[in-house]
Structures are given as structure tokens and as C-alpha cells.
Amino acid sequence: MSSWVITGVSRGLGFEFVRQLSESSSNIVFGLVRNKAAVEAKVAAEIGRENIHIIQADTTDPMELEKAAQYVSEKTNGAVDYVIANAALQSKTALVGFDTMSRDPKALEQDVIDHLRVNTIGAVHLFNAFMPLILKGRAKKVIAISTGMSDPEMTLKADIYQATSYAMSKAALNMAIAKFSALYREKGVLCMAICPGAVDTGSLNIETEGEGQLAMAMFGKFKEYSPTFQGPGKTDDSARSVLALVNKATVDGGYAGIFLSHTESKPYL
Ligand SMILES: NC(=O)c1ccc[n+]([C@@H]2O[C@H](COP(=O)([O-])OP(=O)(O)OC[C@H]3O[C@@H](n4cnc5c(N)ncnc54)[C@H](OP(=O)(O)O)[C@@H]3O)[C@@H](O)[C@H]2O)c1
């Protein structure tokens, strides 16, 4: 039996990770969410498997994460094999650059803080809360879902000025993974950040014509970066490919502390 802890499973990639992993009765999957009742109902209606446990935990709240770890520990005899920090904030400020954001410096500052709180610090709290269980697990894998947008090389190749706070928070997440690896690699723990590619999860929640135009401008930049880019890929394909890399990657194989695309090669898109 392998145990998996995944944050942000209410929708998108997180929900798909739960769906795919729960297909095997040799997995037990713990999904951390902000609205337990709603996600339990969705999981029951759309997946309906008994090896899934939905737990209330906002990843910005270390106490809720500690309680989640306690719950998991009681179900798994104190051990966890895999932790995946998938929950993330990606606000509509992703559509613009610092020039637009500079019109309201306070809002800019708050936007950076909000992204860091969820995308970086939330993952750090998650890893700290579950590390005692990971150290007792067999697989010992700690994964952060990152993004190619965090890579200066991708940014500079096509002058991708958008997604400022989001990209900075994920670059900091990649460094957090390196720091966790520096602490725990010798104890056999693989800590690794993975970009899932561009995925059609609707995470940007485009509502207006203006937002649609800004999104098209960003996709134009993606195409400049990667001329073969045809638009966001399917959620199930991306989740499958991320999980394949999670299964393959090992400390001895040279994956400790690094950030990689799910395809293990660039471009990310
Ligand atoms: N989609 C892409 O193209 C793409 C590309 C590169 C990287 N990624 C990364 O892949 C991961 C999944 O992306 P996605 O597109 O599936 O995202 P998504 O559809 O926007 O879902 C985000 C998830 O994070 C949860 N979340 C947000 N803040 C939280 C908090 N404070 N505590 C707990 N959960 C919280 C959301 O829960 P609620 O329902 O409660 O809001 C939701 O379940 C993210 O890390 C993202 O950065 C995505």
C-alpha cells in the first residue's frame, strides 16, 4: 500500500491526480482542500472510491496542516510515501506585467505577498508538517508542482513579462525544494519540483473580452518561446506524465533538489 498526500484537489490537476492514483486499490490518497464538504460530494459523485480521504486544510494555515498530518498518521501508522504540493494561487494579475501593476503599488505588494503565502510558504508548511511521516515512509518523495514561468531562461527567450507574482513565487518554491533536499537528501528523501506543462484547467478563469485578449497575448508569448506550442494540453495527460516522473525519479538517479519539466526536457511547452 502506498500513501499519497496532495494539496488543492478540489479541481484541475489536483482532482485528476486523485482520480488517477485512486484507480489502484494499492494506493491510499489523502486530498487536502479548503472546502471539505463540497469536495467530498464532488469526489463521491465523480470518482466514488473508498481509498480517497478528503481533509480540511488551507495550506496557509500551519495548524490546519499539523491537524491534517495527525489525521493521516492515524490512518497510516505514522508513515507517508508521497507528498505533492499542488495547491496554488494564480490570480488574474498573471495577465499583465509590472508596468500595469505599478499603477497601484499597494495592490502590487499585496499580490506578491498573496502568491508567496500560498505558492511558496504554504508548500514549506506542508513539507514541514508531513516530513516526520515521509521519513517513516518507503518511497520518501516530496514533490512541488512548479511552472516553466519560474525559469528566467523561458522568461528571457520570449520576453514573457506577464505572471510576475506567480513566477516569482514559483521560483522561490524551486529554491525551497533545493533547501529541503539539502536537509533531507542524505536521509533518502527525494525533494523535487516539476512543471506540468500548460494545462487546460481553466485556472485563469477568463471572463471578459479584455481578459481574453490579454490571455491571447500571453499565449502569443508562449508560441514565441516554443513555436510548436498549440495551446494548453489535457489535464489527464499532464497528470499522467507528472506521476510517471514522480515514480521514476530517485535521489540516486540525480533528481534530488532539482526543478524539471514533466517531459524532463525544455521547452516546457
Ligand atoms: N494549469 C496550468 O497550465 C499550469 C501550468 C504550470 C503549472 N501549474 C501548476 O499546477 C498546479 C495545479 O494547477 P491547476 O491549473 O490545476 O490549478 P487550479 O485549477 O487553479 O486549482 C488550484 C487548486 O489550489 C487550491 N488552493 C488555492 N489556494 C489554496 C490554499 N490556500 N489552501 C489550499 N488549497 C488552495 C484550489 O482550491 P480552491 O478550490 O479552494 O480554490 C484548487 O484546488 C499549480 O501548482 C499550478 O501552479 C499549472
Side-chain angles (χ1 to χ4, degrees), residues 177-195:
I177 277 290
K179 295 295 181 188
F180 273 102
S181 186
L183 263 183
Y184 294 107
R185 181 184 56 82
E186 286 198 336
K187 295 191 167 81
V189 180
L190 173 81
C191 300
M192 184 184 179
I194 300 175
C195 168

Side-chain angles (χ1 to χ4, degrees), residues 8-13 34 57-60 86-88 118 145-147 166 170 196-199 201 203:
V9 308
S10 65
R11 51 194 157 94
L13 273 171
R34 291 192 290 189
D58 186 316
T59 60
T60 61
N86 167 78
V118 180
I145 304 299
S146 188
T147 170
Y166 177 69
K170 292 285 190 172
V199 196
T201 60
S203 58

